[in-house]
Amino acid sequence: AGDVRIASLRWRRWGSAGAVGRGEMRLRECQPTCAAGRSRTARVTVTLSGVRECRGRRYFERAEVRAASGPQPASYVRAPC
């Protein structure tokens, strides 16, 4: 895989227990190279969970991105502190 981004994300639920949204994943495949690779899109569901607090600010410590089709992307959350 190469460059991945999620666009047009709309949150269906957002609260202290977590959040769920849907959007479109845009993936640039780097085979044989990123310049020569193809792009594809897939509908995705993003689920955030595990509320934590750091320096008085709350954030979700876990993120899961599930694609409706094709390979599943890896996901991670960078903690704010």
Side-chain angles (χ1 to χ4, degrees):
D3 182 42
V4 176
R5 65 185 171 121
I6 297 174
S8 304
L9 189 59
R10 297 212 181 246
W11 296 105
R12 305 184 113 207
R13 182 172 54 89
W14 186 281
S16 61
V20 177
R22 291 190 177 160
E24 181 179 82
M25 177 179 67
R26 297 179 182 161
L27 169 67
R28 178 72 155 163
E29 295 178 338
C30 292
Q31 295 296 328
T33 67
C34 290
R38 67 183 184 96
S39 293
R40 68 178 179 89
T41 61
R43 300 293 300 161
V44 293
T45 299
V46 177
T47 304
L48 305 176
S49 61
V51 175
R52 296 281 188 217
E53 188 170 321
C54 177
R55 296 185 200 140
R57 298 183 70 183
R58 298 173 72 190
Y59 69 96
F60 295 109
E61 74 169 344
R62 289 185 298 279
E64 179 183 44
V65 179
R66 301 289 297 161
S69 62
Q72 298 301 312
S75 55
Y76 70 94
V77 173
R78 184 177 302 166
C81 43

